[in-house]
Amino acid sequence: MQKEKFDRIISFLLGASWAIVVFGALITFQLFSPFGVSLALFITIFFVVIAFFLILALDAFAINREKLYEAKKQTELLEKIYSKHTK
């Protein structure tokens, strides 16, 4: 049950992050367009790159959580195998 809650939270945050990237890029471009299209485009690309790093960080949390879960399962299985052979 705990793993399911974590996955739901991460999925929600990833979806919200993608929405922030899309709408944030649009708003950023519109805010800086009076200063010139090239400046607005540069700042928008900069915003999108930073937002992608934040999305990658969230994805890394999910991947590391999955790795930890799999390592725990493998450790439990190895302990069972070890206890069978030592008795």
Side-chain angles (χ1 to χ4, degrees):
M1 188 69 178
Q2 187 71 15
K3 181 180 179 285
E4 185 177 312
K5 287 180 185 178
F6 180 79
D7 289 337
R8 286 183 182 174
I9 290 170
I10 290 294
S11 294
F12 173 76
L13 289 175
L14 280 171
S17 298
W18 278 106
I20 288 171
V21 168
V22 171
F23 291 119
L26 180 64
I27 291 169
T28 303
F29 185 78
Q30 288 178 350
L31 277 174
F32 288 98
S33 63
F35 301 114
V37 175
S38 61
L39 179 66
L41 190 62
F42 175 75
I43 292 175
T44 303
I45 290 172
F46 184 71
F47 171 79
V48 168
V49 167
I50 295 219
F52 281 160
F53 279 117
L54 295 175
I55 290 173
L56 286 175
L58 281 174
D59 199 32
F61 285 140
I63 289 171
N64 284 334
R65 173 72 178 211
E66 193 65 31
K67 276 181 163 179
L68 178 65
Y69 180 70
E70 289 297 322
K72 284 182 180 182
K73 284 189 344 186
Q74 289 176 4
T75 302
E76 184 180 318
L77 183 62
L78 287 172
E79 286 174 352
K80 285 180 184 178
I81 293 171
Y82 180 74
S83 66
K84 282 183 182 180
H85 289 291
T86 57
K87 289 184 179 181

